[in-house]
């Protein structure tokens, strides 16, 4: 669902379950672009922290520069929550949660739910990397990794077999 927005270089900045819908045709749609940003024609105030603390990327929580990898981080939080049944970061309030996003590594989701496939856990943990450079670069590279898992090929094997860089 993030692919069409990113093709237009739009960063959502508030990916969370209530902004993700599944249509009757099983298509995933993203809603509420109220905090969205286009880095090439940004009309929003810079260095202001916007978004929902529970799903906020480390760079977003510190007022840093955001790109599509910030949205991918937030998607990783949503996937972690779906897989583990709890968020990767929690606390007494937004500041405590944002602190954890910036400074604390979440427990691997398989420690909470051992039924999560190892390759799925790897994708989730890559989405939750503190350093944006360590995350998937684009929604397309994430989709490629997910399709590889569905096909029974690890992302590293797919990279080798198909000469794709994830």
């Amino acid at each position: 669902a993030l692919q069409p927005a990113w093709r237009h270089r739009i960063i959502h900045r508030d990916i969370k379950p209530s902004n993700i819908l599944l249509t009757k045709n099983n298509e995933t749609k993203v809603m509420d672009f109220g905090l969205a940003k286009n880095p090439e024609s940004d009309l929003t105030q810079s260095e202001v922290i916007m978004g929902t603390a529970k799903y906020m990327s480390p760079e977003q929580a510190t007022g840093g520069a955001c790109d599509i990898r910030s949205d991918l981080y937030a998607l990783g939080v949503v996937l972690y929550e779906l897989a583990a049944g709890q968020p990767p970061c929690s606390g007494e309030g937004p500041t405590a949660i944002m602190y954890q996003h910036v400074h604390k590594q979440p427990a691997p989701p398989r420690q909470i739910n051992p039924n999560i496939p190892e390759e799925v856990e790897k994708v989730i943990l890559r989405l939750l990397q503190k350093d944006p450079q360590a995350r998937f670069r684009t929604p397309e590279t994430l989709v490629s990794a997910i399709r590889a898992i569905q096909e029974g090929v690890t992302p590293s094997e797919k990279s080798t077999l198909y000469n794709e860089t994830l």
Side-chain angles (χ1 to χ4, degrees), residues 6-11 37-43:
W6 183 237
R7 282 188 206 112
H8 296 283
R9 297 301 183 248
I10 296 172
I11 305 160
K37 170 182 170 176
N38 179 322
E40 292 154 12
S41 62
D42 186 21
L43 300 176

Side-chain angles (χ1 to χ4, degrees), residues 1-12 30 33 68 71 139:
L2 293 173
Q3 288 175 311
W6 183 237
R7 282 188 206 112
H8 296 283
R9 297 301 183 248
I10 296 172
I11 305 160
H12 189 280
V30 175
F33 282 79
I68 191 60
D71 285 350

Side-chain angles (χ1 to χ4, degrees), residues 24-166:
K24 292 177 187 176
N25 299 329
N26 287 326
E27 295 176 305
T28 307
K29 302 286 184 181
V30 175
M31 299 181 39
D32 190 0
F33 282 79
L35 297 179
K37 170 182 170 176
N38 179 322
E40 292 154 12
S41 62
D42 186 21
L43 300 176
T44 60
Q45 191 174 0
S46 62
E47 297 182 17
V48 173
I49 298 172
M50 294 186 208
T52 305
K54 188 174 174 184
Y55 302 96
M56 199 173 283
S57 68
E59 60 275 15
Q60 196 173 354
T62 58
C66 295
D67 62 21
I68 191 60
R69 293 169 298 187
S70 301
D71 285 350
L72 291 173
Y73 181 94
L75 180 61
V77 175
V78 171
L79 294 176
Y80 186 104
E81 201 168 17
L82 284 169
Q86 65 185 48
C89 301
S90 59
E92 292 295 318
T95 303
I97 293 169
M98 289 189 300
Y99 177 87
Q100 288 184 24
H101 280 298
V102 174
H103 299 289
K104 303 281 184 180
Q105 290 298 327
R110 286 172 45 96
Q111 283 183 3
I112 300 160
N113 178 1
N115 295 322
I116 300 167
E118 188 176 338
E119 291 301 322
V120 172
E121 178 183 67
K122 287 179 184 177
V123 167
I124 293 170
L125 291 176
R126 183 167 173 191
L127 287 166
L128 292 177
Q129 290 295 306
K130 304 297 181 198
D131 178 3
Q133 297 291 336
R135 296 180 207 142
F136 293 96
R137 288 188 319 263
T138 64
E140 288 79 12
T141 57
L142 170 60
V143 168
S144 181
I146 292 169
R147 287 202 175 122
I149 292 169
Q150 290 172 327
E151 294 167 3
V153 180
T154 66
S156 60
E157 289 171 335
K158 186 170 185 177
S159 177
T160 303
L161 291 171
Y162 304 113
N163 198 25
E164 293 182 11
T165 304
L166 301 176

